[in-house]
């Protein structure tokens, strides 16, 4: 963290269904001097918020207009159908789009799933929000397909949901203005990507010129080569050769005296 960032607040935007608590918890441990301010935003508003400087980074739902933004896709969510508990779909563990052919399906204006062909029959209205669509499902007016996290967010006791196998899925990503990639943003990217506290966390690594010197410093000094130790008999023979004597070197030690024959 640079001196200019001391005392700053890191502003993190997030769309409905995304729970940033685990990343914020890690941030609080690693960067305790910079508190996090959470900024809730709808899926339609979050990109404008980032471009206008209303947040340093944010969790968005793809696809988004990436002009001027850096984006890191994070995970894909299962698409589920929200139904009343007494609906026939509730009896199955999972369903297909074909199972919904005769049902009216709501398509709220804030829908984040990119449909090629919308399942089921068009409902009588397009609710403004997913929350409003959930209320209509509870009244028995139709069904709703959403990412699983949104089904959990708008959970009601009289509703349930089931996975739909053959549908597009919603993808959550981290985004931030490219021209505002600060050290704090890099720190948060490292947390989201699961880097450890001792890693580079995405910041600029040491220049290549520094690395050889670092490796040389870490390399243990080599000990001078040592000549193999010579046996005493070898040393004596070498000494005699140096003195010019042709006599054999005396043995290293004498044998014990025995009895002379008579």
């Amino acid at each position: 963290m640079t001196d200019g960032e001391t005392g700053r607040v890191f502003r993190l935007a997030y769309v409905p269904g995304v729970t940033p608590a685990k990343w914020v918890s890690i941030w609080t441990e690693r960067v305790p001097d910079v508190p996090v301010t959470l900024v809730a935003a709808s899926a339609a508003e979050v990109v404008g918020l980032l471009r206008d400087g209303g947040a340093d980074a944010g969790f968005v739902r793809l696809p988004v207009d990436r002009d001027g933004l850096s984006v890191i896709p994070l995970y894909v969510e299962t698409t589920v159908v929200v139904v009343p508990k007494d609906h026939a779909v509730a009896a199955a563990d999972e369903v297909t789009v074909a199972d919904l052919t005769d049902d009216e399906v709501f398509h709220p204006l804030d829908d984040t799933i990119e449909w090629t062909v919308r399942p089921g029959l068009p409902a009588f209205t397009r609710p403004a929000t997913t929350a409003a669509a959930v209320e209509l499902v509870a009244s028995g007016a139709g069904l709703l397909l959403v990412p699983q996290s949104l089904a959990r967010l708008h959970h009601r006791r009289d509703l349930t949901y089931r996975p739909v196998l053959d549908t597009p899925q919603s993808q959550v990503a981290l985004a931030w203005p490219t021209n505002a990639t600060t050290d704090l943003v890099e720190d948060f990217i490292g947390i989201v990507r699961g880097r450890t506290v001792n890693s580079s966390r995405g910041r600029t690594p040491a220049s290549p010129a520094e690395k050889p010197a670092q490796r040389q410093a870490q390399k243990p000094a080599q000990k001078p080569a040592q000549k193999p130790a010579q046996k005493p008999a070898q040393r004596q023979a070498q000494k005699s050769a140096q003195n010019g004597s042709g006599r054999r070197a005396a043995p290293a030690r004498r044998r014990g005296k025995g009895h002379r024959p008579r």
Side-chain angles (χ1 to χ4, degrees), residues 70-87:
S70 295
V71 178
I72 300 176
L74 298 177
Y75 59 90
V76 175
E77 285 196 69
T78 299
T79 299
V80 301
V81 58
V82 181
V83 301
K85 283 190 173 181
D86 58 355
H87 193 279

Side-chain angles (χ1 to χ4, degrees), residues 173-188:
L174 178 68
W176 68 94
T178 303
N179 60 1
T181 308
T182 64
D183 280 350
L184 290 179
V185 171
E186 292 282 11
D187 286 338
F188 193 74

Side-chain angles (χ1 to χ4, degrees), residues 87 89 96-105 119-123 141-143:
H87 193 279
V89 166
T96 65
V97 171
D99 296 325
L100 309 176
T101 301
D102 298 330
D103 289 287
E104 292 188 7
V105 178
L121 302 172
L143 311 182

